[in-house]
Amino acid sequence: MSSCDLCVVRNRAICAALDSKELLALNAIGRTRSLQAGESLIWEGEDSVLVANVIDGVLKLSTNTEDGREQIVGVVYPSDFIGRPFGGTSGHGVIALTDAKVCVFSRGDFDAFARDHPALEHKLLERTLGELDRTRRWMLLLGRKSAGEKLASFLLELVERLSGAGCRPDTADPSRRIITLPFSRQQIADVLGLTIETVSRQFTRLKNEGVIDLPSRREVTILDHERLVAEAG
Amino acid sequence: MSSCDLCVVRNRAICAALDSKELLALNAIGRTRSLQAGESLIWEGEDSVLVANVIDGVLKLSTNTEDGREQIVGVVYPSDFIGRPFGGTSGHGVIALTDAKVCVFSRGDFDAFARDHPALEHKLLERTLGELDRTRRWMLLLGRKSAGEKLASFLLELVERLSGAGCRPDTADPSRRIITLPFSRQQIADVLGLTIETVSRQFTRLKNEGVIDLPSRREVTILDHERLVAEAG
DNA sequence: CGATCCATTGACTTGCTTCAACCAGAGTGG
DNA sequence: CCACTCTGGTTGAAGCAAGTCAATGGATCG
């Protein structure tokens, strides 16, 4: 039995395409790695020598302009795939936002394995297509939405992905309305293409209007889901 | 011999993964279709019943907010793939910017064919990964760049894609510095997340600074490629 | 109990948008 | 052939949303 069989994302990650024999082979070329919050897995611009599956935690994909402005171009959650198989340098760095566990492969090994397992490539394709859709939706947000709409959209997506992706929301409350942010204010700003001050002001505005509550820096309670949807534009 | 053998993008589109027997089979389920500039191929939000390859012309992928703001989330050139195989509704419309010719397939047919031809799926995966990279680079532009940087970046990408993608630039000039825009000012604004006025002002600024020239509405001459790169930030 | 790190808040500035007028080229018809 | 209009683009002036700069607040941790 491979350690993959015990993997919590076994049935949600691309590995779900494999039977146990194949999984054993994949297991042989991969290894798990733990990352602390803030630690880099891949640096921007290096030729990407590894790919990975997220087992636990949240990581950001980010690019920077030469003069230091940062834009977070993606956020990955458990069962998501990281990296750029089949050639090419990764245009963005990958950094853990929370403590995280990932299952890493050398890119060469993974490429070869994938070519021999069409079912795996198919899963990867589906996942990549989905990610492309999500990314394009994000472009509408970046290009055309106001600060208020951006933050509301962000919170809604976060709720969905934190629950959907299997990181159960950390509350017993039925409507899972309280979420723990894996982001600092600065990181939220970098996702939304805003400054930290603007993010902060929008947070307090939503709070004053009774749409959300802010029990602590890293927690948000959704008080009025409907209004939040309306705010998202 | 299938009509695919005569196709101008035969060796650049995903079809390059197929031998002539397979190509014949693919040919049997597809058909070419001509589009006039402005014509829609896929509407936003419909469940996407077709996929396609671009043979000739330029098309935009765009989304709208409820209140009518538009954001162009992608632009496709000859040999590019259009659509969302394997389920899911397309979150964006596909509209021809120039007169165009595409090779369309019913999504169901294409899905089935793809599953039987891993080499095709592999090509599609590579293409999708590339598109995802490009889209993420665009996010940096939308989120963090100024109007001037946006326009300069836009022109540079356009030059690259118009030549690279095989639509030879329409001039005999060696350094292919003159390009014909497949976009109106409004469409450029919708790509860059700006207003038409801001785009216009940036155009005249670049012109006044001697970086470009504007022989006509739809033409741009790159006079100083280096300065343009610098302007792109 | 300071020191440090984020986040919030306020005052001011600015880059982009908005609103509105004007302009140029292409097509139409008297 | 010239006025007429239509469409898309440019220019100007004014307003505003978000950015910048700077001070304050509140946790957390030696």
Side-chain angles (χ1 to χ4, degrees):
Chain A
M1 180 170 119
S2 76
S3 62
C4 293
D5 288 314
L6 302 171
C7 180
V8 291
V9 296
R10 164 77 176 92
N11 293 309
R12 288 182 294 127
I14 55 172
C15 318
L18 305 173
D19 64 32
S20 26
K21 205 183 79 206
E22 294 169 319
L23 206 57
L24 205 61
L26 183 63
N27 190 49
I29 61 169
R31 61 184 196 80
T32 68
R33 178 169 165 197
S34 291
L35 294 163
Q36 289 183 293
E39 200 175 341
S40 280
L41 178 64
I42 298 174
W43 280 264
E44 182 177 349
E46 80 174 359
D47 34 307
S48 164
V49 293
L50 58 83
V51 300
N53 272 310
V54 181
I55 298 170
D56 192 37
V58 183
L59 298 88
K60 67 169 180 176
L61 320 180
S62 62
T63 34
N64 293 83
T65 57
E66 282 135 38
D67 60 335
R69 287 168 285 177
E70 173 166 346
Q71 176 67 47
I72 294 181
V73 297
V75 183
V76 290
Y77 298 87
S79 87
D80 284 344
F81 183 82
I82 293 173
R84 178 65 166 90
F86 316 123
T89 42
S90 75
H92 50 261
V94 179
I95 299 169
L97 292 177
T98 62
D99 291 345
K101 240 179 11 182
V102 295
C103 177
V104 299
F105 306 90
S106 112
R107 214 204 58 201
D109 291 350
F110 181 85
D111 284 5
F113 186 89
R115 278 175 185 279
D116 288 341
H117 295 84
L120 183 76
E121 279 211 337
H122 182 80
K123 274 275 178 212
L124 187 54
L125 177 56
E126 287 197 338
R127 208 163 255 287
T128 307
L129 285 165
E131 187 63 28
L132 185 56
D133 280 351
R134 201 198 323 283
T135 304
R136 285 178 167 153
R137 240 177 295 131
W138 219 241
M139 290 178 78
L140 177 64
L141 177 144
L142 287 174
R144 291 297 183 206
K145 290 193 175 179
S146 69
E149 292 171 325
K150 283 179 175 181
L151 185 59
S153 305
F154 173 79
L155 291 173
L156 288 171
E157 159 133 347
L158 198 61
V159 166
E160 183 182 335
R161 297 216 75 195
L162 281 179
S163 55
C167 321
R168 74 260 151 269
D170 46 347
T171 170
D173 186 289
S175 60
R176 61 180 180 303
R177 297 170 314 175
I178 178 167
I179 52 182
T180 298
L181 300 171
F183 300 91
S184 68
R185 292 290 187 270
Q186 180 61 61
Q187 285 159 349
I188 296 173
D190 289 336
V191 171
L192 300 178
L194 297 171
T195 58
I196 186 173
E197 294 94 332
T198 303
V199 171
S200 184
R201 282 186 246 274
Q202 293 301 326
F203 262 122
T204 56
R205 184 181 62 80
L206 287 175
K207 181 179 160 187
N208 291 339
E209 293 178 359
V211 180
I212 62 171
D213 192 27
L214 300 168
S216 81
R217 295 179 160 194
R218 288 281 185 152
E219 287 171 312
V220 181
T221 313
I222 312 286
L223 298 175
D224 189 338
H225 192 272
E226 204 154 310
R227 286 259 299 287
L228 193 59
V229 170
E231 288 276 350
Chain B
M1 183 168 116
S2 76
S3 63
C4 292
D5 289 313
L6 301 171
C7 179
V8 291
V9 297
R10 163 77 176 92
N11 294 306
R12 289 183 292 126
I14 55 172
C15 319
L18 305 173
D19 64 31
S20 25
K21 205 184 78 207
E22 295 169 317
L23 206 56
L24 205 62
L26 182 63
N27 190 49
I29 62 169
R31 62 185 196 82
T32 67
R33 178 169 163 195
S34 292
L35 295 163
Q36 289 184 291
E39 200 175 341
S40 280
L41 179 63
I42 298 174
W43 280 262
E44 181 177 349
E46 79 174 359
D47 37 306
S48 164
V49 293
L50 58 84
V51 299
N53 272 309
V54 182
I55 297 170
D56 192 37
V58 183
L59 299 89
K60 67 169 181 175
L61 320 180
S62 62
T63 35
N64 293 83
T65 56
E66 281 136 39
D67 59 337
R69 288 168 284 177
E70 173 166 346
Q71 176 67 47
I72 294 181
V73 297
V75 182
V76 291
Y77 298 88
S79 87
D80 284 345
F81 182 83
I82 293 172
R84 178 65 165 92
F86 316 123
T89 42
S90 76
H92 49 262
V94 179
I95 300 169
L97 292 177
T98 62
D99 291 345
K101 239 176 15 180
V102 295
C103 177
V104 298
F105 305 90
S106 109
R107 214 203 57 201
D109 291 350
F110 181 87
D111 285 4
F113 186 90
R115 280 176 184 278
D116 287 340
H117 296 83
L120 184 75
E121 279 212 336
H122 181 80
K123 275 276 179 210
L124 187 54
L125 176 56
E126 288 196 339
R127 210 163 254 285
T128 307
L129 286 166
E131 188 62 28
L132 185 56
D133 280 351
R134 200 197 326 282
T135 304
R136 284 179 169 153
R137 240 177 296 130
W138 219 242
M139 291 179 79
L140 176 64
L141 178 144
L142 287 174
R144 292 296 184 206
K145 289 193 176 179
S146 69
E149 293 172 323
K150 283 180 176 181
L151 185 59
S153 305
F154 172 79
L155 290 174
L156 288 171
E157 160 133 347
L158 198 60
V159 166
E160 183 182 335
R161 297 214 76 195
L162 281 180
S163 54
C167 322
R168 75 259 151 271
D170 46 346
T171 170
D173 185 290
S175 60
R176 58 180 180 300
R177 299 170 313 175
I178 178 166
I179 50 182
T180 298
L181 299 172
F183 301 92
S184 69
R185 293 289 187 272
Q186 181 61 62
Q187 285 159 348
I188 296 173
D190 289 337
V191 171
L192 300 178
L194 297 171
T195 58
I196 186 173
E197 293 95 331
T198 302
V199 171
S200 183
R201 282 185 246 272
Q202 293 301 325
F203 262 122
T204 57
R205 183 181 63 79
L206 287 174
K207 181 179 160 188
N208 292 338
E209 294 178 359
V211 181
I212 62 171
D213 192 27
L214 300 168
S216 82
R217 297 178 159 193
R218 288 279 185 153
E219 287 172 311
V220 181
T221 314
I222 312 286
L223 298 175
D224 189 340
H225 192 272
E226 204 155 308
R227 286 259 298 287
L228 193 59
V229 171
E231 288 276 351

